Amino acid sequence: MLRRSPAKIWRSRDILYRLKYATCKSCGKAFYPPRARCVYCGSQDVEYRYSSGRGVVKEYTILYQTPSGFGDLSPLIIGLVELEEGFSMLAQIVDVEPDKITPGMRVEAVLRRLVVDGSTGLIYYGIKFAPAEGMR
Ligand SMILES: [Zn+2]
């Protein structure tokens, strides 16, 4: 179970609710999650940007048994999504049947419920990917 306080969520909102990434002004590569130092060349000359959220599924895996607390998400599709800005990230793929997903499928970022904290009733939201408009 995720343990996050409302204050921590607020501090992390750029990453949780908008797709913030970094580009390196030295080597030109984009990477995620955004860091102050380039993961490719080590330069600290990086710039933070926000992604369009559009990309393609490069690879994916389907989990039929999900960790406790995530049981209602089964089958869970986890994809490696390459965003049009050139970086990749792992995320859940939603709104598509497991037998309909294909490598190269165009997807876009959507804000969806991640998990509900049973003790406090807090609902955590985060970025997932759904088939791009026109592909649903
Ligand atoms: Zn670099």
Side-chain angles (χ1 to χ4, degrees), residues 24 26-29 38 40-43:
C24 176
S26 183
C27 73
K29 291 187 174 167
C38 175
Y40 295 102
C41 74
S43 168

Side-chain angles (χ1 to χ4, degrees), residues 11-52:
R11 286 194 301 273
S12 312
R13 64 193 182 281
D14 272 356
I15 290 177
L16 290 174
Y17 304 137
R18 298 178 68 189
L19 200 41
K20 185 180 182 181
Y21 69 102
T23 58
C24 176
K25 293 191 201 168
S26 183
C27 73
K29 291 187 174 167
F31 53 93
Y32 178 91
R35 295 198 168 107
R37 182 182 293 269
C38 175
V39 297
Y40 295 102
C41 74
S43 168
Q44 295 185 47
D45 194 11
V46 301
E47 182 177 84
Y48 299 121
R49 295 181 184 170
Y50 292 100
S51 169
S52 68

Side-chain angles (χ1 to χ4, degrees), residues 24 36 38 58 81 97 100 109 126 130:
C24 176
C38 175
K58 300 301 283 185
V81 176
E97 293 300 322
K100 295 287 192 293

Side-chain angles (χ1 to χ4, degrees), residues 56-61 73 75-81 89-98 101-102 105-108 110 112 127-131:
V56 296
V57 175
K58 300 301 283 185
E59 297 175 43
Y60 64 92
T61 188
L73 297 178
L76 183 64
I77 306 173
I78 301 295
L80 178 66
V81 176
M89 64 184 288
L90 283 172
Q92 186 184 347
I93 312 294
V94 296
D95 297 350
V96 60
E97 293 300 322
I101 189 166
T102 55
M105 173 180 265
R106 287 173 42 235
V107 291
E108 60 191 8
V110 292
R112 292 291 169 82
I127 290 171
K128 301 180 181 183
F129 285 86

